[in-house]
Amino acid sequence: MKSRITIAGCLLLAFSHAGAELLQRAEVATFIDEMVAEHDYDATQLEDALAGVQLSEKIIAAITRPAEALPWHRYRSIFLKPARIKGGATFWRQHQAQLERAAQTYGVPIEIMVAVIGVETKYGGNTGGFKVINALSTLAFDYPKRSRFFTSELKHYFLLTRDQSLDPHQLTGSYAGAMGIPQFMPSSYRAYAVDFDGDGLTDIWDNPADAIGSVGNYLGVHGWQADAGIVSRARVPEGDISALLTKGLELQLRMEQVAAAGVAVDAEVDPAEQVKLLQLENKDGFEYWLACQNFYVITRYNRSTLYAMAVYQLAQAIRAEYEAGP
C-alpha cells in the first residue's frame, strides 16, 4: 500500500506540470540541450512544441496494464475473432498485388504481414487517438521505469517530423506513441519504413502499400527466414520441465536438447536448430509450443510471446478464410 501511495503522490506532482510549465523542468531543459547539440535542432522550435504538450494520466494508466499481462486464453480471445479474421481476408484481397510483391521482396508470408497489421490496428481501422507528442512526452518525463527508452523515441519523433516537415502536434497514435497502420515507433519509422509504391512519400498513416512494405521490411531486417517454420505444437513429458522453460524471448536451447528431455513436436526440426519451449496458460491448464527463429522475429515487433502467438494463429485463420473464397 505504501508504494501505491507513493506512486500516486508522484503522479499528482508530475501532472501538475504541463504545457509551458514543462519547460521549467531540468530534464526537459537537458532534452532540449541534447537535441540542439546532437542534431542541430532549433531550440525555439522545441520549446514552442513542448509548451503545447498535455501530459496524461490515462497514458500512464494504460502502459501499466498492457494486454500482454493477461493469460493466454484471454489475450487470444481479443484477436482471434471472426470479424478480425474476415477483415484480414478482405484486406488481403484488396491489396493482393502489393502483398505478393512484399512477400517476394522480403520473404515474409502474406498472412503474417496481414496478421501483424490486423493485430496492431484492425487493418488500419484503429490507429490510436492519442497525440504522439503527448504520449511520448508523458512517458519520457513522467514514467521513470522506461524514461530512457521514451526519451530516445521522443528525440526520434522530433527528427521525424522535421525530416517530413510535419507539425509535431499533428500525428496521433497509441498510448505508447506507436503510429500509423503498422504502429511503428518513431525510431522504427526512421529505420524501417519504406516508400513501397514509389510515390516519393513514406506514408504509413494513410497508404496501405507503404504500411505493407514497411512491415515486410521490418521483419526481413530482423532475420526472417523465408520458407522456414515458425512454431509447432509440442507435447511435454510428465514431471518437472522448468529447466526447459527458459527466461526471456531468445532461443536458448537446441532442438536436440529439448528432444532429449522428452519433448515431441509434429514438425520436423533440425537437431541443431535453436528453439524455445513456450508454456501458455489456458483456463484448464497449459498448452505447449516449440518456437523457432521466425517466431522470435515476430517478437522483435512486440516483445511478447503472447503477441507473436496471436499473430501466428491469426495468420493461419486469415489464410484459411482467404482460401475459402469470398
Side-chain angles (χ1 to χ4, degrees), residues 262-274:
V263 176
V265 293
D266 295 333
E268 188 172 327
V269 182
D270 189 305
E273 185 166 349
Q274 295 293 120

Side-chain angles (χ1 to χ4, degrees), residues 254-267:
R254 295 187 306 279
M255 182 62 209
E256 60 187 356
Q257 294 174 288
V258 175
V263 176
V265 293
D266 295 333

Side-chain angles (χ1 to χ4, degrees), residues 207-263:
N207 187 335
D210 287 357
I212 289 164
S214 297
V215 170
N217 184 49
Y218 187 101
L219 296 173
V221 170
H222 282 82
W224 189 273
Q225 297 176 349
D227 302 319
I230 301 173
V231 63
S232 301
R233 278 275 193 176
R235 298 178 296 281
V236 301
E238 294 184 3
D240 184 11
I241 61 167
S242 58
L244 299 174
L245 299 172
T246 54
K247 294 182 179 180
L249 299 170
E250 290 74 16
L251 311 177
Q252 300 178 34
L253 299 174
R254 295 187 306 279
M255 182 62 209
E256 60 187 356
Q257 294 174 288
V258 175
V263 176

Side-chain angles (χ1 to χ4, degrees), residues 193-214:
V194 296
D195 172 17
F196 198 59
D197 63 358
D199 67 354
L201 300 173
T202 304
D203 177 9
I204 63 171
W205 295 274
D206 300 306
N207 187 335
D210 287 357
I212 289 164
S214 297

Side-chain angles (χ1 to χ4, degrees), residues 7 45 67 89 92 108 116 159 161 184 188-189 200 233 251 289 294 298 306 319:
I7 292 170
Q45 288 183 343
W92 188 334
V108 181
V116 166
L159 294 172
T161 54
F184 271 16
S188 293
Y189 175 92
R233 278 275 193 176
L251 311 177
W289 296 76
N294 285 340
I298 299 172
L306 299 188
R319 173 167 280 282

Side-chain angles (χ1 to χ4, degrees), residues 150-169:
F150 284 107
T151 298
S152 175
E153 289 299 330
L154 185 59
K155 289 182 177 181
H156 279 288
Y157 181 68
F158 276 116
L159 294 172
L160 181 164
T161 54
R162 182 177 68 176
D163 293 344
Q164 300 291 326
S165 299
L166 298 171
D167 178 353
H169 285 273

Side-chain angles (χ1 to χ4, degrees), residues 253-311:
L253 299 174
R254 295 187 306 279
M255 182 62 209
E256 60 187 356
Q257 294 174 288
V258 175
V263 176
V265 293
D266 295 333
E268 188 172 327
V269 182
D270 189 305
E273 185 166 349
Q274 295 293 120
V275 296
K276 178 177 176 62
L277 184 65
L278 308 176
Q279 182 187 64
L280 303 179
E281 183 181 353
N282 287 324
K283 289 181 180 180
D284 55 355
F286 296 100
E287 61 183 75
Y288 296 89
W289 296 76
L290 194 75
C292 299
Q293 167 66 15
N294 285 340
F295 186 89
Y296 175 73
V297 172
I298 299 172
T299 69
R300 301 301 83 199
Y301 206 101
N302 181 317
R303 286 161 170 71
S304 163
T305 57
L306 299 188
Y307 174 88
M309 184 59 73
V311 166

